[in-house]
Amino acid sequence: MSADEKTNKNLYVEDGDEGDENEGRVPPFQTPKGVHDILPHDHEYYTYIKKIVRHRCRQAGFKRISTPIFEYTEVFKRTVGEATDIVTKEMYTFEDRKGRSLTLKPEGTAPVCRAYVQHGMHNLPQPVELYYIEPFFRYERPQAGRYRQFWQFGFELIGETDSALDAQVILLAYRIYQDLGIADGLKLQINNIGDLESRKVYAEALRDYYYGKERYLSDEDKARLQKNPLRILDSKHEDTMILNQSAPKFKDFISKESKEYHEEVLMFLRDLKIPYVENDNLVRGLDYYNQTVFEFYDEKKGGQNSVGGGGRFDGLIELLGGQPTPAIGFGMGLERVIAQMKRNKVRVPSKDDLHVFIAQLGKEAKRLSIPLIDKLREKGIKAMGALGKPAIKNQLKIADRFKVPYCVLIGETEVREGKAIIRDMSVGTQTTVAFDKVVPEIIKRIGEKNLDFYNPSEPV
Ligand code: HAM
């Protein structure tokens, strides 16, 4: 078992001093199917990703937005598309006490556009650049990298259209993957699915192609043939996938302008040295896209579980009652990014590591420990003590498990003599110092630059 798996399984079981009484027992309550706890070790990854994302977004002028966990169901039906998997079978939809239909948000683009219209953001200088880091909910079949609650970082650039912007959005995503140390293993695939008019013509051509071949289609794909034949291209049904290979191709139906637009995006990507592959069958699972669509996926694992994806959605704001407004955006799943980081053995520097552990013996020592811990923390030293544990041996075991570099020991003798012992845990040496010298001595050993201070005047 890897260290990660061990930590995740046993995180709160203190084997050793408490005994292994939890071993072999299945606790009566588990997380519901398809969702997971984020334990402290994994939170370090989330925090790390958020920091990188915030930094890159700030550099590019994006501001953070949060929308509610649920929206009126119609927001998604109208935009994501009535025939999509998300709307037909993956939404957590419920009625409130007044019978209004609400849905836990399965994705972030439609809510951000709803907010853009609701708050009159068309009055702001355009483009409006927004990003979010939030949980989303989809009732999908749980499997590796596919959860019913997952976190997504996404950003949307609303109010302007240009092929250079599409390239910029892809560049931002690419830089974030680079910062996270996973860009090398990811492949960018890109397609242009034309404007709404050419999509209609293409949809008709697809219908003509599949009519007469219905017996090879799954029931789901037959339904798609009526509602939105483009979705058949996304099918995971084996016979349909074979049929799809000879289906009419989008690029034969998109307009001259769309083709030129696409060529420009590709040219910018080459200029930026972002490797890509073109994929004619890439349509993405949401109906609001037009023109550029793209996805990043792990080459070794294939295109099934994309690590991030996005595209242009020029018609979405209008669908939500706004003026026709061009827009483009991108979203990536944090769980999939973290899995990729772990596969690539990316180490996350942790700020959570403690500096000092205080071990004490006897009532008087405990009385001295509490203000000492407080004083250490006030000076920027991350300190803790197992004040409820009586035996010093057990306290030291805990200090060992926290991998602290230093331990302060206060026993009855030290109380009597007004002293404390500082133990260097890496080499096991001990030094006795006067009690009022403990804090300066620890600061000296840790180093001023490693102290952990919150600076309230630092810009947020
Ligand atoms: P999406 O492709 O549905 O696009 O999701 C974006 C990313 O979220 C995926 O590439 C994947 O990493 C992650 N993801 C999706 N579903 C799951 C799941 N069940 N479990 C774990 N991770 C998942 C969108 O949602 C669009 N709103 C993206 C976008 C923003 N397009 C324009 N702007």
Side-chain angles (χ1 to χ4, degrees), residues 86 106-110 132 138 140 145-152 154-156 284-286 288-289 295-296 305-311 313 328-336:
I86 293 182
E107 67 94 48
T109 308
Y132 47 88
R138 293 184 193 175
E140 293 199 77
R146 201 169 284 269
Y147 302 99
R148 290 184 173 169
Q149 178 184 334
F150 58 97
W151 282 75
Q152 212 188 76
F155 60 84
E156 320 291 357
R284 309 256 309 124
L286 307 108
Y288 50 61
Y289 290 116
E295 264 179 16
F296 289 87
N305 273 1
S306 73
V307 180
F313 47 94
I328 181 164
F330 165 79
M332 72 181 198
L334 266 54
E335 285 81 0
R336 291 189 193 171

Coordinates of all heavy atoms in Angstrom, one line a residue, residues 86 106-110 132 138 140 145-152 154-156 284-286 288-289 295-296 305-311 313 328-336, ligand 1:
I86 N -26.2 15.2 -19.4 CA -26.3 16.0 -18.1 C -27.8 16.2 -17.8 O -28.3 15.9 -16.7 CB -25.6 17.3 -18.2 CG1 -24.1 17.0 -18.3 CG2 -25.9 18.2 -17.0 CD1 -23.2 18.2 -18.3
P106 N -24.7 21.3 -12.2 CA -23.9 20.3 -12.8 C -22.7 20.9 -13.5 O -21.7 20.1 -13.9 CB -24.8 19.6 -13.8 CG -25.8 20.6 -14.2 CD -26.0 21.5 -13.0
E107 N -22.7 22.2 -13.7 CA -21.6 22.8 -14.4 C -21.7 24.3 -14.1 O -22.7 24.8 -13.6 CB -21.6 22.5 -15.9 CG -22.8 23.1 -16.7 CD -22.5 24.4 -17.3 OE1 -21.4 24.5 -17.9 OE2 -23.3 25.4 -17.1
G108 N -20.6 25.1 -14.5 CA -20.6 26.5 -14.0 C -20.8 27.6 -15.1 O -21.0 28.7 -14.7
T109 N -20.8 27.2 -16.4 CA -20.9 28.2 -17.4 C -22.2 28.9 -17.4 O -22.4 30.1 -17.5 CB -20.5 27.6 -18.8 OG1 -19.3 27.0 -18.6 CG2 -20.4 28.7 -19.8
A110 N -23.3 28.1 -17.4 CA -24.7 28.6 -17.5 C -24.9 29.5 -16.2 O -25.4 30.7 -16.4 CB -25.7 27.5 -17.6
Y132 N -14.0 30.7 -11.3 CA -14.6 30.1 -10.1 C -14.0 28.8 -9.8 O -13.3 28.2 -10.6 CB -16.2 29.9 -10.4 CG -16.4 29.2 -11.7 CD1 -16.4 27.8 -11.9 CD2 -16.7 30.0 -12.9 CE1 -16.6 27.2 -13.1 CE2 -16.9 29.4 -14.1 CZ -16.9 28.0 -14.2 OH -17.1 27.4 -15.5
R138 N -23.1 15.7 -10.5 CA -23.7 15.0 -11.6 C -24.0 13.6 -11.2 O -23.1 12.9 -10.7 CB -22.7 15.0 -12.8 CG -22.5 16.4 -13.4 CD -21.6 16.3 -14.7 NE -21.2 17.7 -15.0 CZ -20.4 18.0 -16.0 NH1 -19.8 17.0 -16.8 NH2 -20.0 19.2 -16.2
E140 N -23.6 10.6 -12.2 CA -23.0 9.8 -13.2 C -22.7 8.4 -12.6 O -22.7 8.3 -11.3 CB -21.6 10.4 -13.6 CG -21.8 11.7 -14.4 CD -20.6 12.1 -15.2 OE1 -20.4 11.5 -16.2 OE2 -19.9 13.0 -14.7
G145 N -12.0 8.7 -11.4 CA -12.0 10.0 -12.0 C -13.4 10.6 -12.3 O -13.6 11.6 -12.9
R146 N -14.4 9.8 -11.9 CA -15.8 10.3 -12.2 C -16.6 10.2 -10.9 O -16.9 9.2 -10.4 CB -16.4 9.3 -13.3 CG -17.6 9.9 -14.0 CD -17.9 9.0 -15.2 NE -17.0 9.1 -16.3 CZ -17.1 10.0 -17.3 NH1 -18.2 10.7 -17.3 NH2 -16.2 10.0 -18.2
Y147 N -17.0 11.4 -10.4 CA -17.7 11.5 -9.1 C -19.0 12.1 -9.3 O -19.3 12.8 -10.3 CB -16.8 12.3 -8.2 CG -15.4 11.7 -8.0 CD1 -14.3 12.2 -8.7 CD2 -15.2 10.6 -7.2 CE1 -13.1 11.6 -8.5 CE2 -14.0 10.0 -7.0 CZ -12.9 10.6 -7.7 OH -11.7 10.0 -7.6
R148 N -19.8 12.0 -8.2 CA -21.1 12.6 -8.2 C -21.1 14.0 -7.6 O -21.9 14.9 -7.9 CB -22.2 11.7 -7.5 CG -22.4 10.5 -8.3 CD -23.5 9.6 -7.8 NE -23.7 8.5 -8.8 CZ -24.4 7.5 -8.5 NH1 -24.9 7.3 -7.3 NH2 -24.6 6.6 -9.5
Q149 N -20.1 14.3 -6.8 CA -19.7 15.7 -6.5 C -18.2 15.8 -6.8 O -17.4 15.0 -6.3 CB -19.9 15.9 -5.0 CG -19.5 17.4 -4.6 CD -19.6 17.7 -3.2 OE1 -20.4 17.2 -2.4 NE2 -18.8 18.7 -2.8
F150 N -17.9 16.8 -7.6 CA -16.5 17.0 -7.9 C -16.2 18.5 -8.0 O -17.2 19.3 -8.0 CB -16.2 16.4 -9.3 CG -17.0 16.9 -10.4 CD1 -16.6 18.0 -11.2 CD2 -18.3 16.5 -10.7 CE1 -17.4 18.5 -12.3 CE2 -19.1 17.0 -11.7 CZ -18.6 18.0 -12.5
W151 N -15.0 18.9 -7.9 CA -14.6 20.3 -7.9 C -14.1 20.7 -9.2 O -13.4 19.9 -9.9 CB -13.5 20.6 -6.8 CG -14.1 20.6 -5.4 CD1 -14.5 19.5 -4.7 CD2 -14.4 21.8 -4.7 NE1 -15.0 20.0 -3.5 CE2 -14.9 21.4 -3.4 CE3 -14.2 23.1 -4.9 CZ2 -15.3 22.2 -2.4 CZ3 -14.5 24.0 -3.9 CH2 -15.1 23.6 -2.7
Q152 N -14.5 21.9 -9.6 CA -14.0 22.3 -10.9 C -13.5 23.8 -10.8 O -14.1 24.6 -10.1 CB -15.2 22.3 -11.9 CG -14.9 22.1 -13.3 CD -16.1 22.3 -14.3 OE1 -16.4 23.4 -14.6 NE2 -16.7 21.2 -14.7
G154 N -13.0 26.9 -13.2 CA -13.4 27.3 -14.6 C -13.2 28.8 -14.8 O -13.2 29.5 -13.8
F155 N -13.0 29.2 -16.0 CA -13.1 30.7 -16.2 C -13.8 31.0 -17.5 O -13.8 30.1 -18.5 CB -11.6 31.2 -16.2 CG -10.7 30.7 -17.2 CD1 -10.7 31.2 -18.5 CD2 -9.8 29.7 -16.9 CE1 -9.8 30.6 -19.5 CE2 -8.9 29.2 -17.8 CZ -8.9 29.6 -19.1
E156 N -14.4 32.1 -17.6 CA -15.2 32.5 -18.7 C -14.8 34.0 -19.1 O -14.6 34.8 -18.3 CB -16.7 32.5 -18.4 CG -17.2 31.4 -17.5 CD -17.2 30.0 -18.2 OE1 -16.9 29.9 -19.4 OE2 -17.5 29.0 -17.5
R284 N -18.0 17.7 -27.6 CA -18.2 18.1 -26.2 C -19.7 17.8 -25.8 O -20.6 17.8 -26.6 CB -17.9 19.5 -25.9 CG -16.5 19.9 -26.4 CD -15.5 20.0 -25.3 NE -15.8 20.8 -24.2 CZ -15.8 20.4 -22.9 NH1 -15.4 19.2 -22.7 NH2 -16.1 21.2 -21.9
G285 N -19.8 17.5 -24.5 CA -21.1 17.0 -24.1 C -22.2 18.0 -23.7 O -23.1 17.7 -23.0
L286 N -21.9 19.3 -24.1 CA -22.9 20.3 -23.7 C -23.3 21.1 -25.0 O -22.4 21.3 -25.9 CB -22.3 21.3 -22.7 CG -21.7 20.7 -21.5 CD1 -20.1 20.7 -21.5 CD2 -22.2 21.4 -20.2
Y288 N -24.3 24.1 -25.7 CA -24.2 25.6 -25.9 C -22.9 26.0 -26.7 O -22.8 27.1 -27.0 CB -24.2 26.3 -24.6 CG -23.3 25.9 -23.4 CD1 -21.9 25.9 -23.6 CD2 -23.8 25.5 -22.2 CE1 -21.1 25.5 -22.6 CE2 -23.0 25.1 -21.2 CZ -21.6 25.1 -21.3 OH -20.8 24.7 -20.3
Y289 N -22.1 25.0 -27.1 CA -20.9 25.4 -27.8 C -21.1 25.7 -29.2 O -22.0 25.2 -29.9 CB -19.8 24.3 -27.7 CG -19.3 24.1 -26.3 CD1 -19.5 22.9 -25.6 CD2 -18.5 25.1 -25.7 CE1 -19.0 22.7 -24.3 CE2 -18.0 24.9 -24.4 CZ -18.2 23.7 -23.7 OH -17.7 23.5 -22.5
E295 N -10.2 20.1 -25.6 CA -10.1 19.2 -24.4 C -8.7 18.9 -24.2 O -8.0 18.6 -25.1 CB -11.0 17.9 -24.6 CG -12.3 18.0 -24.0 CD -13.2 16.8 -24.2 OE1 -12.6 15.7 -24.5 OE2 -14.4 16.9 -24.0
F296 N -8.3 18.8 -22.9 CA -7.0 18.2 -22.5 C -7.3 16.8 -22.0 O -8.1 16.7 -21.1 CB -6.4 19.1 -21.5 CG -5.9 20.4 -22.0 CD1 -6.7 21.5 -22.0 CD2 -4.6 20.6 -22.4 CE1 -6.3 22.8 -22.4 CE2 -4.1 21.8 -22.9 CZ -5.0 22.9 -22.9
N305 N -11.6 10.2 -20.1 CA -11.7 11.1 -18.9 C -10.8 12.4 -19.2 O -9.7 12.4 -18.8 CB -11.1 10.4 -17.7 CG -12.2 9.6 -17.0 OD1 -13.3 9.6 -17.5 ND2 -11.8 8.9 -15.9
S306 N -11.5 13.4 -19.7 CA -10.7 14.6 -20.0 C -10.3 15.3 -18.7 O -11.1 15.3 -17.7 CB -11.5 15.5 -20.9 OG -12.5 16.1 -20.2
V307 N -9.2 15.9 -18.7 CA -8.7 16.6 -17.4 C -9.2 18.0 -17.5 O -9.3 18.7 -16.4 CB -7.2 16.5 -17.3 CG1 -6.7 17.2 -16.1 CG2 -6.7 15.1 -17.3
G308 N -9.7 18.5 -18.6 CA -10.3 19.8 -18.7 C -10.8 20.1 -20.1 O -10.3 19.4 -21.1
G309 N -11.7 21.0 -20.3 CA -12.2 21.2 -21.6 C -13.0 22.5 -21.6 O -13.4 23.1 -20.6
G310 N -13.2 23.0 -22.8 CA -13.9 24.3 -23.0 C -14.3 24.6 -24.4 O -14.2 23.7 -25.3
G311 N -14.7 25.8 -24.6 CA -15.0 26.2 -26.0 C -15.7 27.5 -26.0 O -16.0 28.2 -25.0
F313 N -19.1 29.9 -26.6 CA -20.5 29.7 -26.5 C -21.2 31.1 -26.7 O -21.8 31.7 -25.9 CB -20.8 29.1 -25.1 CG -20.1 29.8 -23.9 CD1 -20.7 30.9 -23.2 CD2 -18.8 29.4 -23.6 CE1 -20.0 31.5 -22.2 CE2 -18.2 30.0 -22.5 CZ -18.8 31.0 -21.8
I328 N -16.2 32.8 -24.4 CA -15.4 31.5 -24.5 C -15.0 31.2 -23.1 O -14.8 32.1 -22.2 CB -14.3 31.6 -25.5 CG1 -13.5 30.3 -25.5 CG2 -13.3 32.8 -25.2 CD1 -12.6 30.1 -26.7
G329 N -14.8 29.9 -22.8 CA -14.3 29.6 -21.4 C -13.7 28.2 -21.4 O -13.6 27.5 -22.4
F330 N -13.4 27.8 -20.1 CA -12.7 26.5 -19.9 C -13.0 26.0 -18.5 O -13.2 26.9 -17.6 CB -11.2 26.8 -20.1 CG -10.3 25.7 -19.6 CD1 -10.1 24.5 -20.3 CD2 -9.7 25.8 -18.3 CE1 -9.3 23.5 -19.8 CE2 -8.9 24.8 -17.8 CZ -8.7 23.6 -18.5
G331 N -13.0 24.7 -18.3 CA -13.2 24.2 -17.0 C -12.3 22.9 -16.8 O -12.2 22.2 -17.7
M332 N -11.8 22.8 -15.6 CA -11.0 21.6 -15.4 C -11.4 20.9 -14.0 O -11.7 21.7 -13.1 CB -9.5 21.8 -15.4 CG -8.9 22.6 -14.2 SD -7.2 22.9 -14.4 CE -6.8 23.3 -12.7
G333 N -11.4 19.6 -14.0 CA -11.8 18.9 -12.8 C -10.6 18.7 -11.8 O -9.6 18.2 -12.2
L334 N -10.8 19.2 -10.6 CA -9.7 19.2 -9.6 C -9.3 17.7 -9.2 O -8.1 17.4 -9.1 CB -10.0 20.0 -8.4 CG -9.5 21.5 -8.4 CD1 -9.9 22.2 -9.7 CD2 -9.9 22.2 -7.2
E335 N -10.3 16.9 -9.1 CA -9.9 15.5 -8.7 C -9.1 14.8 -9.8 O -8.1 14.1 -9.5 CB -11.2 14.6 -8.5 CG -12.0 14.9 -7.2 CD -12.8 16.1 -7.3 OE1 -12.9 16.8 -8.4 OE2 -13.5 16.5 -6.3
R336 N -9.4 15.1 -11.0 CA -8.6 14.5 -12.1 C -7.2 15.1 -12.2 O -6.3 14.4 -12.5 CB -9.4 14.6 -13.5 CG -10.6 13.8 -13.5 CD -11.2 13.8 -14.8 NE -12.6 13.2 -14.7 CZ -13.5 13.2 -15.7 NH1 -13.2 13.7 -16.9 NH2 -14.7 12.7 -15.5
Ligands
HAM1 P1 -17.1 19.5 -18.8 O1 -16.3 18.9 -19.9 O2 -18.4 18.9 -18.6 O3 -17.3 21.1 -19.2 O4 -16.3 19.5 -17.4 C1 -15.1 20.1 -17.3 C2 -14.1 19.2 -16.6 O5 -14.7 18.9 -15.3 C3 -13.9 17.9 -17.2 O6 -12.8 18.0 -18.2 C4 -13.4 17.0 -16.0 O7 -12.1 17.3 -15.7 C5 -14.3 17.6 -14.9 N1 -15.4 16.7 -14.6 C6 -16.6 16.7 -15.3 N2 -17.4 15.7 -14.8 C7 -16.8 15.2 -13.8 C8 -17.1 14.1 -12.8 N3 -18.3 13.5 -12.8 N4 -16.1 13.8 -11.9 C9 -14.9 14.4 -11.9 N5 -14.6 15.4 -12.8 C10 -15.5 15.8 -13.7 C11 -18.0 21.9 -18.4 O8 -18.5 21.7 -17.3 C12 -18.0 23.3 -19.0 N6 -18.8 24.2 -18.1 C13 -16.6 23.9 -19.1 C14 -16.5 25.2 -19.7 C15 -16.3 26.4 -19.1 N7 -16.8 25.5 -21.0 C16 -16.7 26.8 -21.2 N8 -16.5 27.4 -20.0

